[in-house]
């Protein structure tokens, strides 16, 4: 979770107030075009080519583009300020932090049966659904998995990463015996492996709402997570992931992989450019299934597009055209080229790196990805789960006590 930057967010909020107030809410504008205000999650540089392409295809519509000047928390705070000031942008994005306020407050239009929603992966809509109605359109997603050294696995007798937990641990022990470190992940942040393994377990068990039962108080982390944490911890107790991973940062882990000392690590497309310079023959695989689960990758939908419930007439039609363009082959192609976003929509197959192709086809495009998304206290809970996992790896906490500590922290939010 990114850190909060309150001073920047405050300045962004004031800037947005001035910008959107100047834009107004009318349908006028230069040359009599219909103007819609769009508060983008992404910065102006990467969004401008997409907006320009839309305006070229729709010459009667003008998009007044504005962005937050900071990071994810800045966007959430700025949007909250705008909503509180009754200046809701015509098109904007929800985030995990703002979804309850936006949907429950009635600021988002119901998009469930809109034609531009055709092709949207149902998995991408789950987080932004209330009472069977979908309020956000997310045609792209991010994802991470296990990046592995093909040569090192081949020496241990494997062509890829096993898809079951016991087989994965067995391979890890063989790799360790050969003199290399089998697997590592950055322990300073939320576990990159436990989340997708948890999601694979939920999927196999038919739990479509993930951790919502815990968040709603119907179940506890101790009840649901403890047996799964016990399984995950076997990776540490067997030495497949060494205890000294605590204190090693993400860059050091990546360097160990690039120098052939590490066989596998949690990563994703964001590291491919660096890995390509190493000469390592690598590929990417999903995380193996815990008992009772199925293989999954870590990830989630990118922040979805929302249409304000406050607009109607020509502005509403213009906003609908904009979302239709975003979820078109042209729009999704531009999103990949300019924002590096990967399509999960049936309307377009992203051209991904060869190392990602199998995971993209079998997991990302089929909705087999998961991440724990906190409906409140995301920064605090992210820091807590990272701290608890470090203690678990060091043997200072048990799987049960980790879950109990998460219950205590959650109740305090």
């Amino acid at each position: 979770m990114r850190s909060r930057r309150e001073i920047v967010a405050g300045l962004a909020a004031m800037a947005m107030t001035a910008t959107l107030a100047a834009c107004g809410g009318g349908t006028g504008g230069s040359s009599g075009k219909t103007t819609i205000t769009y508060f983008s999650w992404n910065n102006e540089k990467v969004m401008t080519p997409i907006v320009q392409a839309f305006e070229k295809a729709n010459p009667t519509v003008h998009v007044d583009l504005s962005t937050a000047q900071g990071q994810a928390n800045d966007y959430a705070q700025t949007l909250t300020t705008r909503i509180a000031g009754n200046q809701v942008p015509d098109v904007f994005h929800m985030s995990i932090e703002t979804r309850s306020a936006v949907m429950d407050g009635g600021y988002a239009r119901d998009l469930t049966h809109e034609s531009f929603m055709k092709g949207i992966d149902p998995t991408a809509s789950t987080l932004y659904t209330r009472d069977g109605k979908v309020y956000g359109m997310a045609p792209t997603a991010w994802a991470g998995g296990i990046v592995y050294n093909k040569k090192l696995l081949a020496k241990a007798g494997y062509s890829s990463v096993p898809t079951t937990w016991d087989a994965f641990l067995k391979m890890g022990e063989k790799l360790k015996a050969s003199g290399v470190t089998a697997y590592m992940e950055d322990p300073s942040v939320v576990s990159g492996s436990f989340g997708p393994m948890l999601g694979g377990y939920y999927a196999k068990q038919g739990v479509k709402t993930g951790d919502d039962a815990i968040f709603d108080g119907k179940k506890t982390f101790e009840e649901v997570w403890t047996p799964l944490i016990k399984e995950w911890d076997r990776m540490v107790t067997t030495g497949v992931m060494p205890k000294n991973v605590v204190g090693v940062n993400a860059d050091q882990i990546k360097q160990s992989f690039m120098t052939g000392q590490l066989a596998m690590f949690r990563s994703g497309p964001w590291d491919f450019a660096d890995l390509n310079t190493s000469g390592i023959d690598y590929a990417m695989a999903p995380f193996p299934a815990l008992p009772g689960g199925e293989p999954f990758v870590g990830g989630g939908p990118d922040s979805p597009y929302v249409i304000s419930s406050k607009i109607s007439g020509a502005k509403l039609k213009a906003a609908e055209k904009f979302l239709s363009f975003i979820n078109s082959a042209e729009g999704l192609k531009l999103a990949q080229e300019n924002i590096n976003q990967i399509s999960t929509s049936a309307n377009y197959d992203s051209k991904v790196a060869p190392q990602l192709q199998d995971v993209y086809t079998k997991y990302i495009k089929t909705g087999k990805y998961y991440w724990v998304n906190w409906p409140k206290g995301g920064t605090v809970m992210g820091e807590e789960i990272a701290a608890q996992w470090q203690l678990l790896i060091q043997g200072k906490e048990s799987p049960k006590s980790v879950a109990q500590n998460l219950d205590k922290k959650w109740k305090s939010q």
Side-chain angles (χ1 to χ4, degrees), residues 61-114:
V61 180
H62 171 64
V63 178
D64 198 331
L65 171 66
S66 55
T67 68
Q69 300 303 307
Q71 300 186 38
N73 286 332
D74 302 327
Y75 186 94
Q77 185 169 330
T78 303
L79 179 62
T80 300
T81 300
R82 295 299 304 144
I83 289 174
N86 197 32
Q87 292 178 315
V88 184
D90 299 330
V91 178
F92 58 98
H93 295 263
M94 271 189 283
S95 64
I96 296 302
E97 293 85 354
T98 60
R99 61 177 178 167
S100 294
V102 170
M103 291 189 291
D104 297 342
Y107 300 105
R109 185 176 182 82
D110 176 12
L111 307 181
T112 311
H113 302 297
E114 298 292 347

